[in-house]
Amino acid sequence: NAGVTQTPKFRVLKTGQSMTLLCAQDMNHEYMYWYRQDPGMGLRLIHYSVGEGTTAKGEVPDGYNVSRLKKQNFLLGLESAAPSQTSVYFCASSYSIDPGDNQPQHFGDGTRLSIL
Amino acid sequence: GQNIDQPTEMTATEGAIVQINCTYQTSGFNGLFWYQQHAGEAPTFLSYNVLDGLEEKGRFSSFLSRSKGYSYLLLKELQMKDSASYLCAANCPGGNNRLAFGKGNQVVVIP
């Protein structure tokens, strides 16, 4: 099994351009998450999804949109990229059994995005 | 809200024991996770605690005190490959398995 796969691994954009980051998982996980990681800030949750067709806002959702059309895929979109969105983006997924259940999140290798 | 606090960096010698502390203040709490992240790589799951006490997994152990809002990760018999950032994360209330991460503690292992 590949686990959690993110594409692309690297990308450089100009301010105002748009792009979509793709996350795919083959573990049949219900929950999926998008984080950004910046120096000195730790991992911050952007958006998450608890199942196909559902999405919800995390801690830092502004400037991003997401879609979960298929259970195995979770897409993160930047409609108009800004330099402040330069970051490393991680996708993660997990099982869920009951509300509040503790299941480890499995992370992809990350996408390094630079906005000029 | 959630506030997760960790020291930023520490250096330790190969073969030694190191303790990484994490304090948290959350409006609710379902459990605490520890992750390891090597430079330029993805975080990988190490352990989690729900109840007070010590959980041991080989060279790594994690401790939780819910009443004190405190956890630590203990790394024994340090190896060079243990040089990494160690992240603690609180499982947020309300379900959905959301995690609030601390900023991470960078451990540098020297010969």
Side-chain angles (χ1 to χ4, degrees):
Chain A
N1 287 347
V4 180
T5 303
Q6 291 183 232
T7 52
K9 296 189 185 304
F10 304 93
R11 186 73 183 269
V12 178
L13 291 178
K14 295 181 180 179
T15 298
Q17 287 185 315
S18 63
M19 78 163 295
T20 300
L21 282 65
L22 173 64
C23 177
Q25 53 93 5
D26 62 1
M27 296 175 283
N28 201 34
H29 286 168
E30 285 292 333
Y31 291 173
M32 296 187 75
Y33 313 83
W34 274 107
Y35 294 89
R36 60 178 290 173
Q37 188 173 40
D38 303 291
M41 297 295 291
L43 284 160
R44 292 183 292 168
L45 183 65
I46 304 171
H47 286 279
Y48 66 98
S49 169
V50 299
E52 182 179 322
T54 71
T55 63
K57 293 180 180 180
E59 180 186 356
V60 288
D62 294 343
Y64 305 95
N65 56 77
V66 287
S67 64
R68 183 102 181 266
L69 299 180
K70 294 182 178 181
K71 184 177 182 179
Q72 63 267 35
N73 295 337
F74 194 28
L75 279 63
L76 178 71
L78 286 73
E79 290 185 348
S80 180
S84 62
Q85 294 178 303
T86 294
S87 187
V88 180
Y89 291 86
F90 285 101
C91 175
S93 68
S94 73
Y95 286 115
S96 177
I97 300 176
D98 296 310
D101 188 31
N102 286 286
Q103 291 288 334
Q105 292 183 14
H106 300 261
F107 284 80
D109 289 336
T111 295
R112 283 144 187 82
L113 185 60
S114 293
I115 317 295
L116 304 179
Chain B
Q2 287 77 35
N3 185 28
I4 317 294
D5 191 33
Q6 296 183 253
T8 55
E9 186 172 320
M10 58 176 58
T11 302
T13 306
E14 199 173 9
I17 299 174
V18 67
Q19 178 173 315
I20 304 166
N21 299 321
C22 174
T23 58
Y24 63 90
Q25 295 174 327
T26 72
S27 56
F29 181 75
N30 291 332
L32 194 125
F33 286 80
W34 283 97
Y35 282 81
Q36 180 191 59
Q37 185 177 25
H38 286 102
E41 298 183 8
T44 55
F45 168 71
L46 287 177
S47 69
Y48 81 86
N49 298 69
V50 178
L51 302 176
D52 287 359
L54 189 68
E55 294 281 343
E56 297 191 74
K57 274 189 174 185
R59 293 190 300 113
F60 294 177
S61 303
S62 57
F63 171 84
L64 177 66
S65 169
R66 296 177 70 113
S67 61
K68 295 181 179 179
Y70 168 69
S71 174
Y72 69 72
L73 180 69
L74 198 66
L75 285 64
K76 305 173 195 173
E77 302 170 13
L78 275 177
Q79 301 176 8
M80 298 299 290
K81 66 179 182 180
D82 296 331
S83 292
S85 183
Y86 292 86
L87 317 176
C88 70
N91 193 325
C92 301
N96 303 327
N97 210 32
R98 287 175 298 134
L99 297 178
F101 282 86
K103 296 177 182 179
N105 183 311
Q106 183 68 39
V107 172
V108 177
V109 182
I110 57 176

